Amino acid sequence: IPLITDKNVVFIDTRSKKEVKISSIPGSISLKDFKRNKSEYKNKQIIAFCTIGFRSGKFAEKYQKQGFHIMNLKTGLLGWVHSEGPITNQMAPTRKLHVYSKKWNLVPESYTAVW
């Protein structure tokens, strides 16, 4: 996935700390980190994500209005893992994904859903 290694692209995980602790896109930053250093990302291409794309979509709308170059990963992490995008638990690759609730347990068979 070339975007993960592109220095001009920043992935922002808009999920809760509890969700992020299970897994996230490698190299992504938290919502808290973004808000603390917003000016640092003003000239970057930002890709916001969450589990299914709803929360990150709201986040993207808000910050587009503030002049940020931001897109929403519309398929969320569920789509990401179905497309074989890597996730990590901050220490190593993982096959666990926090899916928000049992209703959203739509992970591929090779993954474990956590809620």
Side-chain angles (χ1 to χ4, degrees):
I1 310 275
L3 288 176
I4 292 176
T5 58
D6 188 328
K7 299 291 183 209
N8 291 312
V9 176
V10 177
F11 283 84
I12 299 177
D13 194 332
T14 63
R15 300 173 304 144
S16 71
K17 191 184 266 188
K18 177 183 172 185
E19 293 169 280
V20 173
K21 189 175 179 180
I22 302 299
S23 60
S24 192
I25 293 175
S28 63
I29 64 169
S30 70
L31 194 54
K32 184 178 179 180
D33 287 338
F34 170 75
K35 288 180 178 179
R36 190 177 324 148
N37 302 301
K38 284 191 284 191
S39 62
E40 185 178 324
Y41 306 106
K42 200 68 168 175
N43 296 315
K44 302 278 186 179
Q45 176 59 64
I46 299 168
I47 301 173
F49 66 93
C50 63
T51 305
I52 61 169
F54 181 77
R55 291 174 283 176
S56 55
K58 295 291 184 194
F59 173 83
E61 284 177 19
K62 177 181 177 179
Y63 284 96
Q64 283 170 347
K65 291 176 185 171
Q66 293 181 25
F68 285 88
H69 306 285
I70 186 166
M71 297 185 297
N72 178 31
L73 183 61
K74 289 181 182 179
T75 62
L77 280 174
L78 281 171
W80 179 265
V81 296
H82 275 279
S83 298
E84 300 180 15
I87 57 173
T88 181
N89 64 9
Q90 300 171 357
M91 294 173 26
T94 187
R95 298 299 244 180
K96 289 185 179 180
L97 178 63
H98 195 291
V99 295
Y100 192 70
S101 70
K102 189 175 183 176
K103 175 183 174 182
W104 295 105
N105 182 6
L106 303 169
V107 298
E109 286 185 22
S110 62
Y111 281 78
T112 301
V114 177
W115 57 85

